[in-house]
Amino acid sequence: MAADNRGLAPRKQPRQARAEATRQRILTAAAHVFAEYGYAAGTTNRIAERARVSIGSLYQYYPNKDAILVELLIRHLDAGAAAVEARLGGQLPDSLEETIRLFVRASVDNHLDDPQLLRVMAEQGPRTPELLDRVSRHHRARVASVQELFERHPQVRVADTYVAARLTVASIELLVHQLLAAPDPVDATRFENELVAMLTGYLTTDR
């Protein structure tokens, strides 16, 4: 979706708790409205009504619904990155299979709250340079961390750990987005089990 990037930045950064609470209410309302009505019908009037603020108050914070969706996308990305970093920073299981399961589950958990909203964000969200840069930075950091893990894990048998890390990260990200946000989503537990088995088999097979 093409858009003027100047109209995609929040207008007002809250400095007081009350203002921040209003912004949070607008974002929460927008998430529900987009999930319920879709992006085209998810108007700022509906968002303001759901947030219990005037349309004028909403426009003090965001110039349009594109800017609201961009912020929801950025928060979604940051939450996913934080979940993965927390797992990498903690004590990982000795088993490669259980380690892969931690990463898969982190991604699944970050998408379970509202898969309909996820589909709106993935299919209709504005693609701003800032957002694309953030996606790229998150992806590169995750690949680097996973490659480092593969290089030191005794159960990993692949020779090219860089390509293996990229395949693993891309498989988790893309399949979670595609299958959990589908109109007929796969059961999350069955999806997790099969994806973990697929990746573990690939990483531990001698070539």
Side-chain angles (χ1 to χ4, degrees), residues 1 3-15 19-31 34 39 47 58-80 110 117 120-122 124-132 134-135 138:
M1 177 187 301
D4 182 350
N5 295 332
R6 293 171 299 177
L8 296 178
R11 279 181 168 154
K12 181 177 181 180
Q13 293 297 332
R15 299 180 184 277
E20 176 59 24
T22 300
R23 185 171 73 150
Q24 292 293 339
R25 205 159 67 243
I26 291 170
L27 290 171
T28 300
F34 291 147
Y39 193 60
I47 294 170
L58 183 148
Y59 284 137
Q60 287 181 356
Y61 292 88
Y62 298 99
N64 48 53
K65 67 179 182 179
D66 282 352
I68 298 175
L69 188 59
V70 165
E71 182 142 350
L72 287 173
L73 276 162
I74 288 173
R75 290 186 174 213
H76 172 75
L77 289 169
D78 289 348
N110 193 39
L117 174 62
V120 168
M121 291 194 297
Q124 302 174 41
R127 300 295 189 263
T128 68
E130 178 196 3
L131 182 61
L132 293 174
R134 190 173 297 230
V135 170
H138 281 327

